[in-house]
C-alpha cells in the first residue's frame, strides 16, 4: 500500500507501538478469553505484541498517523508479492517465540492450549472464503488512549479506504469487540460473518469493505 499521507514506521519505532497496542488491547475480549488471568495477561501482552510487530515489520506494512506515532495501522496488501519462504521463516520464528512466552508464563500449558484452541480467532483464515486476492487486510488499527477522539483513527482508516478505492481493492478485517462493529459500519464496512468456537464464549466479527464501481479517487 503506497501512501504519502501516513508515516511509514521504522524499526526503531516498534517499541513505542508495542506500548500503544498493549494499552489499547488490554481490555479486548480476545485476550481476556485466551489469557483469563489478569496478572498473566498484563505480563504477556507486551511480549506478544513485541513479537507480532517484529514479524509484521518484515512481512507486512506498518504506518503511523505521523512521526509522533499516536496511532498505528498494520496492513497486509494481498496484491503485493512478498517472498514466500522469507515470510514463512519469519512467521515460524514468531510462533516459536510466542509459544515459549505462553509456556513459560503458565507451565500447566492451559494458556498455551487456549491459543491452540483459539487459533481461528488469530489467523484470519476466514478470509480464504472471500476468494479475493485484490484485497488489503487490516491487522491492527489502534490509537493511544490519550489521543483518541482526535480524528486519528479516521485519518488512518480513510487513507486505507482512499487507496483501496483508487485501486479497486476489497478491505477485510476482524474484531472481537462488538462495540467496534458499528464504528466500522460507519466507514462502509459490512458484516461478512461471525466466527464462534465451541471452546470459548467469544465471537469474531468478520467485516469487508468493497470499492464503489462508479467512484475513482
Amino acid at each position: 500500500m503506497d501512501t504519502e499521507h501516513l508515516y511509514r514506521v521504522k524499526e526503531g519505532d516498534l517499541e513505542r507501538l508495542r506500548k500503544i497496542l498493549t494499552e489499547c488491547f488490554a481490555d479486548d475480549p480476545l485476550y481476556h478469553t485466551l489469557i483469563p488471568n489478569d496478572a498473566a495477561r498484563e505480563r504477556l501482552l507486551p511480549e506478544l505484541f513485541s513479537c507480532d510487530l517484529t514479524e509484521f515489520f518484515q512481512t507486512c506494512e506498518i504506518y503511523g498517523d505521523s512521526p509522533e506515532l499516536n496511532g498505528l495501522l498494520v496492513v497486509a496488501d494481498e496484491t503485493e508479492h512478498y517472498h514466500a519462504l522469507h515470510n514463512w521463516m519469519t512467521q515460524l520464528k514468531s510462533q516459536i517465540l510466542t509459544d515459549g512466552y505462553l509456556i513459560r508464563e503458565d507451565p500447566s500449558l492451559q494458556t498455551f492450549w487456549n491459543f491452540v484452541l483459539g487459533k481461528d480467532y488469530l489467523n484470519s483464515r476466514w478470509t480464504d472464503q472471500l476468494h479475493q486476492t485484490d484485497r488489503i487486510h487490516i491487522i491492527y488499527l489502534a490509537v493511544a488512549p490519550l489521543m483518541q477522539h482526535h480524528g486519528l483513527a479516521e485519518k488512518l482508516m480513510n487513507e486505507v479506504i482512499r487507496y483501496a478505492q483508487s485501486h479497486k481493492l476489497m478491505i477485510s478485517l476482524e474484531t472481537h469487540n462488538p462495540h467496534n462493529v458499528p464504528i466500522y459500519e460507519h466507514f462502509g464496512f459490512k458484516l461478512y460473518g461471525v466466527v464462534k468456537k465451541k471452546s470459548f464464549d467469544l465471537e469474531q466479527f468478520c467485516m469487508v469493505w468493497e470499492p464503489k464501481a462508479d467512484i475513482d479517487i
Side-chain angles (χ1 to χ4, degrees):
M1 188 183 95
D2 296 323
T3 173
E4 298 179 356
H5 303 287
L6 299 176
Y7 169 74
R8 186 68 180 259
V9 165
K10 299 178 175 60
E11 190 169 7
D13 299 322
L14 297 184
E15 172 63 19
R16 186 168 178 181
L17 299 186
R18 177 188 65 80
K19 293 179 181 179
I20 293 177
L21 289 177
T22 300
E23 291 176 346
C24 289
F25 287 92
D27 295 320
D28 190 84
L30 172 64
Y31 296 105
H32 271 252
T33 299
L34 298 182
I35 316 173
N37 182 274
D38 292 343
R41 188 169 60 255
E42 184 176 353
R43 290 190 295 268
L44 275 171
L45 283 187
E47 295 178 322
L48 298 181
F49 286 130
S50 180
C51 196
D52 278 355
L53 287 167
T54 299
E55 174 192 344
F56 295 144
F57 184 77
Q58 299 183 57
T59 61
C60 301
E61 297 171 67
I62 308 177
Y63 295 98
D65 61 296
S66 69
E68 285 70 35
L69 291 175
N70 291 307
L72 74 145
L73 174 76
V74 182
V75 297
D77 189 339
E78 302 296 333
T79 66
E80 296 192 0
H81 300 289
Y82 298 105
H83 195 292
L85 178 59
H86 173 266
N87 282 4
W88 182 82
M89 292 295 293
T90 301
Q91 291 165 3
L92 178 61
K93 180 180 178 181
S94 178
Q95 187 63 58
I96 292 172
L97 285 173
T98 296
D99 292 348
Y101 294 144
L102 298 174
I103 294 169
R104 182 206 62 201
E105 177 63 39
D106 182 2
S108 74
L109 300 185
Q110 183 57 57
T111 304
F112 172 78
W113 189 239
N114 284 348
F115 273 70
V116 172
L117 293 177
K119 64 182 182 299
D120 286 340
Y121 291 123
L122 298 162
N123 58 23
S124 302
R125 189 168 294 167
W126 68 272
T127 57
D128 293 343
Q129 303 172 35
L130 298 174
H131 303 294
Q132 175 63 274
T133 55
D134 295 333
R135 178 172 56 83
I136 295 174
H137 187 72
I138 296 177
I139 299 172
Y140 286 129
L141 173 68
V143 174
L146 292 178
M147 293 302 297
Q148 292 177 5
H149 311 296
H150 286 74
L152 299 185
E154 289 83 354
K155 177 181 179 179
L156 294 164
M157 183 62 79
N158 286 339
E159 183 59 18
V160 180
I161 291 174
R162 183 203 65 77
Y163 180 85
Q165 180 61 51
S166 66
H167 291 78
K168 302 302 181 188
L169 304 177
M170 175 187 285
I171 307 173
S172 56
L173 60 83
E174 62 266 343
T175 181
H176 305 90
N177 189 337
H179 299 295
N180 289 341
V181 173
I183 296 175
Y184 291 123
E185 288 177 335
H186 170 75
F187 287 103
F189 283 78
K190 295 182 179 179
L191 186 64
Y192 178 82
V194 178
V195 174
K196 177 71 183 292
K197 310 301 291 184
K198 293 181 179 180
S199 306
F200 302 101
D201 183 21
L202 177 70
E203 293 180 319
Q204 176 174 275
F205 303 93
C206 307
M207 306 190 74
V208 297
W209 178 96
E210 296 186 81
K212 311 301 184 291
D214 57 344
I215 297 177
D216 289 302
I217 299 177

